[in-house]
Amino acid sequence: MTATVVLGAQWGDEGKGKVTDFFASSADYVVRFQGGNNAGHTIVVGNEKLALSLTPSGVLYPDCVPVIGSGCVVDLGFLKQELAMLNSKNVSTQKLAISPNAHLIMPYHKLLDELIEESLGENKIGTTKKGIGPCYADKIQRNGIRVQDLLNDEIFAQKVKINVKEKNQILTKIYNKDPLDPEEIINEFKIYKDIVNNHVKDTSLMISDAIKANKNILFEGAQGTLLDIDHGTYPFVTSSNTSSGNAATGSGIGPLNLDKIVGVTKAYISRVGSGPFITEQKNEIGEYLIEKGAEFGVVTGRRRRCGWLDLISLKYSVRVNSLSELFITKLDVLSGLEELKLGIGYKNGDEIINDYPYEQNMLYDAQPIYDTFEGWSEDITSVKKFNDLPENAKKYINAIEEYIQIPITFISVGPERNQNIVITDD
């Protein structure tokens, strides 16, 4: 039995969909433990490209049980559409299990998300406007509506009416908008009861029993470490804990059950939306990475900002998550560049910074310090063994591994699920 956590070590968009699909092929359970449909996992199978935002990637394997854990927030309207899409492609969704303790994204969450973002003007955070933040806010304020509330019509209606009464005060008095009708929301959610009735399970008990039965379990993270609500580049973060500690909390098991924690990073780095980005390349290099790497958001379609791989932030992700190994994606995107750089430090005035700074202003003021490497021109998309990579590619990978002091065990050299170099016998 192995219980493996796979999560992003950057600002999300690291290619986790392919990586989780890679591990899901041998998993009995794949568990999403945080986030909602603001995530985007793209999996390429032959000529078919599947973009999943909420359903765990294990759904593609008939013997695997996909689980949406208690740490997630669920948009049932979106989930209904995603399940229909999968069924239309002959992918069975019958085994999907949803935690009764996951919170529901309500219509007023999406409306408030949009209004709050618009009100920030130039200081906007870059939210996906999916209602994620307001839903988590209600959860923390202890007036959220959970999946299990839909199992009881009276309880659900009561909670909707209480929440809408409060939200209408905000909508009408702060944003000068029309009030919402709670009865319309109650009636809307009646069409989602089939999802709840068919898929709600005691997922905490299910995962615990699977561990006792020596099953293989994959815990699938969304977004990335640098977007963690506690440990990311606050306030330009998501509204949940994206780091490995939440794999246990957001699934309902104890942390001693986790065997290994795999971080995923691109061979360069990107982020979407606002926030500091020390190694960003606002030049032809950045344009090259965007175009060749197809750096456009799965959920939003937004153009991502790109730059050189930042080893300071990567070392920070290793520390925050207790990463046991690293999976590097999109190495093939760097083919054709004459010169490559790795960020190995920051300079703030006369100060040299070798660890990720805790003061936010330093992330805006610091300048990167680079190591420079010769690039390679060879096509590496068919390479299966590390030793068959061009010498300069091997030097680049070895430099990353030496700096972060954990093994690099997988390298992706193309978008297909089989375009991987495996550097381990495990």
Side-chain angles (χ1 to χ4, degrees):
M1 183 276 291
T2 59
T4 301
V5 182
V6 172
L7 47 78
Q10 301 175 323
W11 284 295
D13 308 313
E14 301 95 346
K16 295 184 299 298
K18 175 181 175 176
V19 178
T20 53
D21 178 59
F22 180 87
F23 283 100
S25 63
S26 58
D28 299 299
Y29 294 78
V30 176
V31 184
R32 270 283 301 274
F33 58 85
Q34 50 79 213
N37 59 309
N38 56 337
H41 289 174
T42 302
I43 300 165
V44 179
V45 185
N47 295 324
E48 188 79 55
K49 182 182 288 188
L50 291 176
L52 301 177
S53 294
L54 185 56
T55 310
S57 56
V59 72
L60 299 180
Y61 295 93
D63 295 329
C64 183
V65 178
V67 178
I68 296 176
S70 58
C72 296
V73 291
V74 180
D75 183 332
L76 286 176
F78 178 88
L79 181 60
K80 192 177 184 74
Q81 293 176 6
E82 191 164 76
L83 296 181
M85 179 274 292
L86 287 165
N87 291 330
S88 72
K89 297 182 183 296
N90 296 317
V91 176
S92 174
T93 59
Q94 289 183 351
K95 289 188 176 183
L96 174 67
I98 305 174
S99 169
N101 293 336
H103 279 247
L104 291 175
I105 296 174
M106 305 300 291
Y108 47 78
H109 290 140
K110 288 183 274 190
L111 180 57
L112 285 171
D113 202 359
E114 185 173 350
L115 292 171
I116 292 168
E117 182 76 348
E118 289 176 355
S119 71
L120 293 173
E122 294 181 356
N123 297 315
K124 64 182 180 180
I125 293 172
T127 173
T128 57
K129 301 178 183 178
K130 304 286 186 182
I132 309 295
C135 183
Y136 274 114
D138 276 1
K139 174 181 177 176
I140 298 303
Q141 290 175 341
R142 294 169 293 183
N143 59 1
I145 299 177
R146 299 191 294 179
V147 170
Q148 63 174 282
D149 293 328
L150 261 181
L151 296 172
N152 185 301
D153 292 342
E154 185 178 343
I155 289 175
F156 181 75
Q158 181 184 35
K159 289 192 173 185
V160 169
K161 290 174 182 177
I162 290 172
N163 275 273
V164 169
K165 183 178 180 180
E166 179 207 357
K167 304 307 180 192
N168 279 343
Q169 294 292 312
I170 299 171
L171 291 171
T172 58
K173 295 182 179 180
I174 296 178
Y175 295 107
N176 197 29
K177 298 293 182 180
D178 293 332
L180 297 174
D181 183 350
E183 294 298 334
E184 289 184 5
I185 296 174
I186 293 167
N187 288 330
E188 175 191 343
F189 273 74
K190 289 179 180 178
I191 65 173
Y192 306 139
K193 287 199 68 174
D194 60 324
I195 296 178
V196 175
N197 291 331
N198 293 332
H199 296 289
V200 167
K201 311 287 183 189
D202 187 343
T203 53
S204 173
L205 179 61
M206 176 186 292
I207 299 166
S208 179
D209 287 345
I211 291 170
K212 292 176 182 177
N214 290 320
K215 300 294 185 180
N216 290 323
I217 305 167
L218 174 65
F219 296 89
E220 173 185 77
Q223 289 87 38
T225 302
L226 299 180
L227 292 175
D228 187 281
I229 187 68
D230 288 317
H231 305 295
T233 50
Y234 190 89
F236 303 101
V237 293
T238 194
S239 300
S240 59
N241 286 110
T242 59
S243 47
S244 62
N246 198 32
T249 305
S251 304
I253 61 165
L256 290 179
N257 290 305
L258 304 177
D259 295 311
K260 61 181 180 179
I261 302 168
V262 181
V264 185
T265 179
K266 287 175 183 165
Y268 50 98
I269 192 169
S270 69
R271 81 172 299 172
V272 66
S274 306
F277 188 170
I278 292 177
T279 60
E280 183 176 8
Q281 297 297 296
K282 298 179 180 179
N283 51 31
E284 66 278 2
I285 295 295
E287 292 297 320
Y288 179 93
L289 295 173
I290 291 168
E291 295 302 322
K292 189 173 181 182
E295 295 295 347
F296 300 91
V298 174
V299 172
T300 63
R302 289 184 292 181
R303 184 182 178 92
R304 297 175 185 141
R305 302 151 61 192
C306 288
W308 297 118
L309 181 58
D310 180 351
L311 295 185
I312 295 290
S313 66
L314 186 57
K315 182 173 68 171
Y316 174 71
S317 290
V318 171
R319 168 164 59 89
V320 168
N321 293 300
S322 296
L323 295 183
S324 53
E325 56 194 270
L326 197 67
F327 194 131
I328 292 185
T329 63
K330 292 197 171 185
L331 184 65
D332 54 298
V333 173
L334 299 183
S335 295
L337 290 172
E338 293 183 4
E339 183 179 84
L340 306 174
K341 293 183 179 181
L342 289 172
I344 59 167
Y346 305 148
K347 187 175 183 180
N348 186 39
D350 295 329
E351 182 183 3
I352 304 299
I353 302 168
N354 294 313
D355 287 299
Y356 205 64
Y358 62 86
E359 287 187 70
Q360 180 176 310
N361 66 312
M362 285 192 179
L363 295 173
Y364 292 93
D365 299 335
Q367 298 298 313
I369 300 171
Y370 291 118
D371 256 357
T372 302
F373 299 80
E374 292 183 14
W376 62 90
S377 58
E378 296 93 329
D379 181 357
I380 64 171
T381 55
S382 60
V383 173
K384 296 294 184 185
K385 297 181 179 179
F386 181 76
N387 286 335
D388 292 336
L389 285 171
E391 285 301 315
N392 288 341
K394 288 189 283 188
K395 290 178 181 177
Y396 184 78
I397 294 295
N398 287 335
I400 298 171
E401 188 174 67
E402 182 179 356
Y403 190 94
I404 61 174
Q405 294 294 296
I406 63 168
I408 294 170
T409 51
F410 303 90
I411 302 171
S412 169
V413 292
E416 293 280 351
R417 57 164 48 165
N418 61 350
Q419 287 181 294
N420 302 305
I421 297 170
V422 182
I423 322 174
T424 176
D425 294 328
D426 186 0

